[in-house]
Amino acid sequence: MEHHHEEPIEDLEIKSWRRKLIWSWVLTIPIVIVMLIQRFFDMIIPELYSMIGILVFAFFVVFVFGWGTIKSGLRGLFTFYFNMDSLIALGTVIAYVTGIIAFSGVIADYSGVAAMIMAFFTTGKYVEAKARGRASTEIRKLLELGAKRATVIRKGQEVEVDVSELQVGDVFVVRPGEKIPTDGVVVKGESSVDEGMVTGESLPVDKLKGNSVIGATINQDGILYVQATKIGKDTFLAHIINLVEEAQGTKVPIQKLADKITSVFVPVILGIAILTFANWWIFTQDIGRALGVGIAVLVIACPCALGLATPTALMVGSGMGAKRGILIRKGEAIQTMKEVKIVAFDKTGTITKGMPEVTDVFANGVKEDYLMEVAASVEKLSEHPLSRAIVSYQGGRGLKAVKKFKIIRGKGVEGVIGRKIVVIGNRALMKERRINVGVLEAKIRGFEEEGKTAMIAAENKKILGLIAVADAVKEDSIEALQRLRAQGYRTVMITGDNERTARAIAKQVGIDEVIAEVLPEDKSKKVEELQKSGMVAFVGDGINDAPALKQSNVGIAMGTGTDIAIEAGDIVLVKGSLVGVVSAINLSKATFSKIKQNLFWAFAYNVVAIPLAVAGVLHPVIAEIAMALSSITVVTNANLLRRKKI
C-alpha cells in the first residue's frame, strides 16, 4: 500500500500513451506527406534534405516515444520470450537503420516506414490502455473510511486525539452521528449503530453495555463510551483491507488468445524474414534488394491489427454496456464472464432494496387506519429505520400528539397519546409490559417465516394489531433470476442474515442455494469454495462484499452500493438492477465473439500478404498500407458489435 497517491497508476498509463500517440502522429504525418510527394511528384524537395528530415522525425517516433516498445522487444529477442513488441522492435529498428545506410546509395531508405509502424502500434497501445479502464483505488478509499480523530477520557477529562494515538484499553466517547474510531466494547451508554457500511445489512444494531462495536461504523442516537480492544492493523477494517489486497494479488487474468498466437507467430515470422533476406542476397547478390524484401516481410507481419483486435472490441462493448448502465471496469471480465457457471449474490441492497418497508398490516378489532395513525404518531419520534418505514407508509396522515416518549433499546418504543399508553415492539417488550400476544402468535410466526419483522402495537395493554416490515425485494430481481436459471446458471445467495430470512427471500426470487449467517470476512472464502465447481460471478454492494468481489472470477458491483464495492467490481451495474447481470453476460458473449473475428482478420492479411512479400512483390510501403488496412478492418468489424441486441 505504498503507492496510494492522488492519481491511480492506470490513469497515468493512459495519459502516457495518449501523449506518445499525439506526438508520434504529429511527427509521422509530415513524414507521410514527404514520402507521398517524393513518390508522386518527383523531386520537389531535395532528396538529401528529405532524408535528413525523415531520419530526425522518425528518430523521435521510434527511439523516444517508442523506446519502451523497442526495449521490451529487443529484450524478448535475447531472452527468447517472444511477444508483439519483438516484431515491432526488429521491424522498426532495421527499417530506421536503412535510412542511415541509404546515404551510401547501397539500399533504399525505409526509415519513414519505421515511424509509421511505431505510430500505428502506439495507437493500438493507447486504445488497449483505455480499454483496461481506470485503476482500482479501493484500498485508498477503505483507508479513508476510518475516523480521523477520537475523544478519549484521560484523567477524567475529554481529550481529542488523532486516531493513531489510541491505545488498547483507552475509553473514548462517541456522540450521535459520529464514526466509531476503532474496534471496542461498550462500557457505558446505549445507542443503535449503523453497521451497514461494513456488514451490508440495512437495520442498525442496538448496542448496550458489553456489546462489541466496529471501527468506522456510525453511532445513531445515543452517547456511547467505548473501550478500545483493537487498534491499527488488528481492526476489522484493516482485516478487510488485507483480504481485498490478497484477492487483488492472487486473481490471475485469463491469458489472452492473442498472446498464445503471438508466442508462436513471432519466431516463425523472424525465421521467414531471415531466410527470405538470405535467399534474396544469395540469388541476386543485391543486399539492398534483399534487405528491402526482408523488411517488407517484417512490416506486413507486424501484428498491429492484433494489438487492436481485443481492445477495440472491448471499447465498443464497454460503450454499449455504458449506455445500458453496465460499466466494464476490467477488460478481462469480458473474457471471463462467458465462462461463468455460478452466479452468487449478496442479499441486502443487491436482491433486496436495502431499506425496510411495511409489507403487511393486520388490525385486531380496530380499523387499519386507526392502528397506523397510532403507530406512526409514536414512531415519528424515533430515528430507527423500522420506525421510519412505518411513518413513511402512513404518509403523515392523522398523526397525534405524543407525550412521555421513550425508546426501549432492542425492544421497541412507547408513548402516551391523550390518556392512553401506547407500546410498539417485539415479543420481549410485550412480555415485559405483561401484554398477552397469544391470540396473534400464529400470525407473528407466519410473518417471521416469510423473513419479516413483526411489530406488535398495543394501547392500554390491548393489542391493536401487527405491522410487518421487511427489506423488500427489488421489482426486477425475480425476472433476472428466472432468466439466469433459464440460461442454465447455478444461483447462490451468500448473506450474513439469518437462515430463515435468507431462505424466505431465496424462495421468493427463485435462488437455488442459500449460504446464510456468513461473517463479513468469510464471504470471500465461500466464493473460493464455490470456485472449485466452476467459474463464479459474485454480485454485491457493501464494503463487506469487496473481498468476495475481488476473489470471484468476475466481480459485479451494484452502482447503488458503497464506493468500495464499486471500486472492487470488474463490472458495475449503474442502475442497481439485477437484470443488468443477464445483459452483462450477453454482452460478454457478443464481445468475445467479435474479438475472435478480429483475430481472424488480423491474421487474414498476413496469410495472403506474407507469401507476396517473400516473393518480393510487395514494397515495404505497400506492406505498410496493407498493415494499416488490416487495422482499419479490425476497427470497422468491432464497431459492427453495436448492432447486437443484449
Side-chain angles (χ1 to χ4, degrees), residues 127-154:
V127 173
E128 190 178 348
K130 281 275 284 184
R132 277 202 299 269
R134 289 178 59 86
S136 293
T137 55
E138 60 267 20
I139 303 296
R140 180 166 55 83
K141 289 199 173 188
L142 276 169
L143 288 170
E144 289 171 358
L145 279 178
K148 304 294 181 284
R149 308 284 290 173
T151 305
V152 184
I153 307 295
R154 297 244 168 105

Side-chain angles (χ1 to χ4, degrees), residues 214-240:
I214 301 171
T217 56
I218 300 171
N219 185 26
Q220 298 258 284
D221 50 15
I223 297 177
L224 292 176
Y225 290 80
V226 180
Q227 186 172 44
T229 55
K230 293 177 183 175
I231 57 169
K233 61 180 175 53
D234 297 322
T235 63
F236 177 84
L237 185 62
H239 184 51
I240 291 287

Side-chain angles (χ1 to χ4, degrees), residues 140-418:
R140 180 166 55 83
K141 289 199 173 188
L142 276 169
L143 288 170
E144 289 171 358
L145 279 178
K148 304 294 181 284
R149 308 284 290 173
T151 305
V152 184
I153 307 295
R154 297 244 168 105
K155 296 179 181 177
Q157 299 290 318
E158 291 186 8
V159 182
E160 192 173 285
V161 301
D162 194 89
V163 167
S164 60
E165 295 176 33
L166 278 175
Q167 300 292 322
V168 172
D170 279 348
V171 175
F172 51 86
V173 185
V174 190
R175 292 181 170 81
E178 291 182 346
K179 282 184 181 178
I180 294 171
T182 192
D183 297 2
V185 174
V186 177
V187 293
K188 181 182 172 185
E190 295 180 355
S191 185
S192 57
V193 174
D194 180 3
E195 295 183 344
M197 61 188 298
V198 171
T199 63
E201 296 308 319
S202 53
L203 297 178
V205 181
D206 291 314
K207 299 294 181 182
L208 310 171
K209 184 178 178 180
N211 291 153
S212 297
V213 292
I214 301 171
T217 56
I218 300 171
N219 185 26
Q220 298 258 284
D221 50 15
I223 297 177
L224 292 176
Y225 290 80
V226 180
Q227 186 172 44
T229 55
K230 293 177 183 175
I231 57 169
K233 61 180 175 53
D234 297 322
T235 63
F236 177 84
L237 185 62
H239 184 51
I240 291 287
I241 290 170
N242 288 335
L243 285 172
V244 172
E245 280 191 314
E246 283 170 24
Q248 200 171 25
T250 55
K251 186 176 179 182
V252 181
I254 281 186
Q255 187 179 10
K256 290 185 174 65
L257 179 59
D259 291 339
K260 293 177 183 176
I261 298 170
T262 304
S263 64
V264 177
F265 180 73
V266 171
V268 169
I269 290 301
L270 288 177
I272 291 172
I274 292 166
L275 286 172
T276 302
F277 167 72
N279 282 329
W280 274 86
W281 190 11
I282 291 167
F283 289 111
T284 66
Q285 298 296 308
D286 184 348
I287 190 172
R289 177 71 173 138
L291 202 56
V293 174
I295 289 170
V297 172
L298 286 174
V299 169
I300 192 64
C302 278
C304 289
L306 187 60
L308 289 165
T310 300
T312 46
L314 286 177
M315 281 198 76
V316 174
S318 298
M320 285 177 65
K323 286 181 182 177
R324 293 159 177 80
I326 304 163
L327 301 183
I328 299 164
R329 300 187 65 256
K330 304 283 166 57
E332 292 91 342
I334 284 289
Q335 288 179 283
T336 314
M337 193 70 174
K338 69 181 186 61
E339 304 293 342
V340 163
K341 304 295 180 197
I342 304 162
V343 185
F345 300 87
D346 170 49
K347 181 182 75 70
T348 308
T350 302
I351 295 170
T352 64
K353 294 178 181 178
M355 51 189 289
E357 292 180 351
V358 172
T359 58
D360 303 88
V361 178
F362 179 78
N364 181 45
V366 295
K367 287 186 177 180
E368 186 180 303
D369 286 349
Y370 181 76
L371 165 62
M372 290 308 300
E373 284 170 9
V374 169
S377 298
V378 178
E379 297 284 11
K380 190 172 187 290
L381 301 174
S382 170
E383 288 299 312
H384 197 283
L386 292 177
S387 302
R388 289 202 292 267
I390 290 172
V391 174
S392 174
Y393 182 84
Q394 180 62 11
R397 298 184 302 274
L399 297 185
K400 309 171 190 303
V402 177
K403 296 176 287 184
K404 298 182 180 179
F405 174 77
K406 191 166 138 187
I407 294 173
I408 299 99
R409 189 72 57 194
K411 294 173 184 174
V413 294
E414 71 174 1
V416 176
I417 298 177

